[in-house]
Amino acid sequence: QVQLVESGGGLVQPGGSLRLSCAASGFTFSSVAMSWYRQAPGKERELVAFISGAGGSINYVDSVKGRFTISRDNAKNTVYLQMNSLKPEDTAVYYCKNRILGRDYWGQGTQVTVSS
């Protein structure tokens, strides 16, 4: 079955950095686009970054442009989100997501807290 497992979240001070990982299994990873979403309490889940299967197309929400970098290692079946210059408003649960045959698959999420 399709499985997505996030890791790398934690507590960091404003201006700090974290690198999130999403380990994928159960599908042909290199042919599937991957996304990172985040959700803060009481707010809508928000698309943060997108990367196509081969990595040729990448998009970010405006609020993270220049600070976050999405990448993937298809040999490791892993997608990453490097987060730099973190701000308190980045605090959220971060989820890895894809869509296969019309069905969305989500990881369990990893908590990122940016606070002094």
Side-chain angles (χ1 to χ4, degrees):
Q1 63 262 19
V2 173
Q3 287 190 313
L4 303 172
V5 181
E6 301 97 333
S7 61
L11 175 63
V12 64
Q13 293 188 208
S17 296
L18 285 172
R19 188 199 200 199
L20 307 184
S21 297
C22 173
S25 61
F27 62 99
T28 305
F29 182 75
S30 62
S31 70
V32 177
M34 301 293 298
S35 299
W36 286 99
Y37 284 72
R38 66 186 180 187
Q39 188 167 28
K43 306 198 96 175
E44 296 257 297
R45 191 168 293 190
E46 172 187 43
L47 176 64
V48 176
F50 166 93
I51 186 166
S52 61
S57 293
I58 291 173
N59 292 102
Y60 302 96
V61 67
D62 286 346
S63 60
V64 310
K65 285 179 181 175
R67 301 189 298 120
F68 290 13
T69 303
I70 190 171
S71 62
R72 65 193 296 157
D73 186 339
N74 285 347
K76 295 183 183 294
N77 286 182
T78 302
V79 62
Y80 305 96
L81 187 67
Q82 178 67 47
M83 305 186 295
N84 299 327
S85 303
L86 282 161
K87 303 174 179 180
E89 52 262 47
D90 297 318
T91 295
V93 178
Y94 283 71
Y95 297 91
C96 181
K97 178 255 180 186
N98 63 26
R99 172 167 281 212
I100 300 169
L101 299 178
R103 199 254 209 230
D104 288 341
Y105 293 87
W106 298 87
Q108 83 287 352
T110 186
Q111 176 71 49
V112 172
T113 302
V114 185
S115 178
S116 57

